[in-house]
Amino acid sequence: MKLLLPLFILSYSSVSSAQNDISSAQNEIGYLDSNENVTTIRIDDDYGVHNVSYFVDDGLAIVEDDVIYGTEAQLLAKRVQPEIPLLLAKRAISVFPNGVNSQRTWPGGIIPYRYGSFHIKNLYQTKVESAISVWTKLVPCISFEPDEDNKVKDDPTPDILTIRAAKKPGCRSSVGQEAGVDAILQLDPNTTKPCDLAAVIHELGHALGLKHEQHRHDAGPFICENLEDYDPSKPKCCDYGSCCGKACNFVKFPFGEYYTTENAPRPGYLYDLDSVMHYRRRARGRKDASGIRMITLPLAREVAATVPSAGDEARLRDLYGCLSTCPKTCKPHNNICHQPTAQTCVPTLPGTPNTYCACRPGFKAGQYDDGDTTKQWRLPISGHEDQVWVAEDVKCNHLCDGAPGTPGCREVSVIDKGCL
């Protein structure tokens, strides 16, 4: 049985209508906020011997602010003595078939789900369905299927994602599907400050198997001294092998046999600052004298991503086996590119071998699904991420979903870098 772990890009088509639902009053830290005190222990699990910081909500061990590890008993069963040396597995947090994460995919890409209470269903059903639409349009080989006609039943199992109320404030999820660990998505039942759409998209990314992007070995710098719980008497807390407190949410995993930062065949292989799984710039920063949170991740976005990136999409496509295939090219001087909406057959970049019909800027093929990469697609070209390309004789007759002054056409799926 195939299983998964780490990724996402967001489709503005599926999200644009729902983005008004993204709260403009997110807390200062973002949708990863949690003010719980944490306990740090050393464990030996699929990733090797390493430290982890956690708090408990309704018997569940929560790590990294919003990741459900399992029950506290399941976490403590893996506890080892602090003097046990650090021992890391191969790139566990990866998108590659041989990584631990690949053992946590949902079989067949089908995620059965149900709600644990009518309150949570009534409060979140619209957001959950919007977030599901975002992911399934980007990754066509996955599907979320209501269990037993979406029957409300608070009885978590490893085989059904149960969407239930969190006991403590916040939004959190288990990662992928893991044998013996209940699949749970916890959402804040507070009607005055519920989880926003961006948070639900993020947590569904975890549920599909994605981990936080800033843990990658090739991630950007992390300013540990600016953390809200930094203790200058314990400088080793900032090191991966001996991390403690909130620093364990940020330290890089110093192993990277799978990820590469150069000549990556697909965008999902690169460290991705635009990932919806990445913490924001001031996450967990302590406040300075003026009351502003200090920077902990200097390269990260000031505001956390609210939609998946091209890398997020590519990672999930890789994990679930629906990588894009390159579309048929056109001939620059002998083609049937549609006149006048996509009349130019040009190389994707100067010197690249493939040529495709290029849409007019800001337009896409509205008569086809945004995820149908046999008819239209985007390419991971820096500075030209919004350019839509189409097959011959396909009309580019529909304005993209991006509002004026915002990135446009991101609802159209990205295909592999190898198709350049």
Side-chain angles (χ1 to χ4, degrees):
M1 181 171 65
K2 185 180 177 183
L3 296 156
L4 129 74
L5 189 48
L7 135 167
F8 14 88
I9 176 177
L10 177 53
S11 152
Y12 279 84
S13 63
S14 51
V15 172
S16 60
S17 62
Q19 277 190 322
N20 290 332
D21 202 21
I22 295 178
S23 171
S24 60
Q26 286 184 342
N27 57 56
E28 293 182 53
I29 296 178
Y31 49 72
L32 299 172
D33 190 24
S34 170
N35 295 317
E36 299 296 324
N37 292 323
V38 296
T39 300
T40 302
I41 61 174
R42 178 156 287 200
I43 62 173
D44 184 357
D45 64 5
D46 290 342
Y47 305 108
V49 178
H50 62 106
N51 283 11
V52 64
S53 296
Y54 76 99
F55 67 92
V56 178
D57 181 19
D58 197 22
L60 300 173
I62 313 299
V63 302
E64 301 178 32
D65 281 339
D66 72 325
V67 172
I68 300 173
Y69 190 95
T71 65
E72 184 181 23
Q74 287 174 320
L75 175 63
L76 294 178
K78 299 176 182 180
R79 186 173 188 172
V80 296
Q81 295 302 312
E83 60 269 18
I84 299 295
L86 186 71
L87 176 65
L88 301 175
K90 272 192 172 184
R91 180 61 182 168
I93 300 183
S94 74
V95 300
F96 297 83
N98 294 327
V100 171
N101 292 0
S102 67
Q103 301 305 307
R104 296 185 180 176
T105 51
W106 291 85
I110 299 172
I111 304 92
Y113 73 97
R114 65 185 173 212
Y115 292 91
S117 69
F118 285 105
H119 174 70
I120 289 297
K121 181 177 181 179
N122 294 336
L123 185 60
Y124 284 105
Q125 186 172 19
T126 298
K127 291 179 183 177
V128 168
E129 290 179 355
S130 294
I132 286 174
S133 177
V134 166
W135 284 115
T136 54
K137 285 189 175 182
L138 292 172
V139 188
C141 54
I142 63 172
S143 63
F144 288 78
E145 299 184 359
D147 176 64
E148 298 180 12
D149 298 321
N150 219 356
K151 182 178 179 181
V152 172
K153 183 180 181 182
D154 194 10
D155 184 21
T157 75
D159 301 320
I160 300 172
L161 180 65
T162 299
I163 304 171
R164 65 193 309 209
K167 299 298 183 183
K168 296 180 178 180
C171 327
R172 49 194 74 103
S173 176
S174 50
V175 177
Q177 187 199 42
E178 183 179 4
V181 178
D182 292 339
I184 296 173
L185 173 61
Q186 281 188 329
L187 299 176
D188 199 320
N190 189 336
T191 57
T192 61
K193 194 179 180 182
C195 306
D196 60 24
L197 176 60
V200 178
I201 290 170
H202 176 98
E203 299 308 334
L204 280 185
H206 283 316
L208 286 167
L210 297 177
K211 289 282 284 179
H212 288 134
E213 186 75 359
Q214 74 275 357
H215 277 312
R216 288 176 53 143
H217 78 287
D218 54 355
F222 154 53
I223 306 176
C224 184
E225 294 79 5
N226 288 349
L227 279 176
E228 58 189 358
D229 65 347
Y230 176 70
D231 184 348
S233 69
K234 300 178 181 179
K236 289 187 177 180
C237 274
C238 296
D239 299 333
Y240 176 77
S242 56
C243 73
C244 59
K246 295 302 172 66
C248 291
N249 299 0
F250 295 82
V251 291
K252 303 178 200 177
F253 286 7
F255 40 88
E257 289 87 343
Y258 297 142
Y259 277 121
T260 59
T261 56
E262 297 178 359
N263 302 317
R266 290 186 286 277
Y269 287 38
L270 300 176
Y271 173 51
D272 186 6
L273 289 167
D274 291 325
S275 170
V276 76
M277 306 311 290
H278 202 299
Y279 276 19
R280 60 179 289 182
R281 183 175 300 167
R282 300 173 191 272
R284 287 295 166 206
R286 70 177 187 274
K287 292 184 179 180
D288 60 20
S290 61
I292 298 175
R293 291 194 180 274
M294 300 178 73
I295 292 173
T296 52
L297 294 167
L299 297 184
R301 297 165 56 122
E302 187 67 40
V303 178
T306 58
V307 297
S309 67
D312 293 328
E313 176 186 5
R315 286 189 282 276
L316 282 181
R317 281 177 174 262
D318 206 349
L319 276 170
Y320 283 96
C322 54
L323 290 171
S324 303
T325 57
C326 296
K328 183 180 179 181
T329 59
C330 56
K331 295 180 180 180
H333 304 296
N334 183 20
N335 61 74
I336 54 171
C337 292
H338 186 264
Q339 299 280 350
T341 65
Q343 60 187 355
T344 307
C345 177
V346 294
T348 55
L349 285 173
T352 54
N354 290 338
T355 51
Y356 303 114
C357 303
C359 284
R360 296 171 293 172
F363 282 80
K364 64 179 181 179
Q367 66 272 41
Y368 296 105
D369 189 87
D370 293 330
D372 184 355
T373 55
T374 65
K375 301 298 184 182
Q376 63 178 332
W377 60 90
R378 293 185 299 117
L379 287 162
I381 304 174
S382 179
H384 299 278
E385 295 89 346
D386 298 314
Q387 174 65 55
V388 176
W389 308 81
V390 292
E392 290 185 279
D393 203 31
V394 170
K395 298 178 183 180
C396 296
N397 59 353
H398 195 280
L399 281 171
C400 294
D401 290 348
T406 66
C409 304
R410 298 293 173 90
E411 66 272 18
V412 178
S413 291
V414 175
I415 61 174
D416 296 347
K417 185 177 180 180
C419 298
L420 289 175

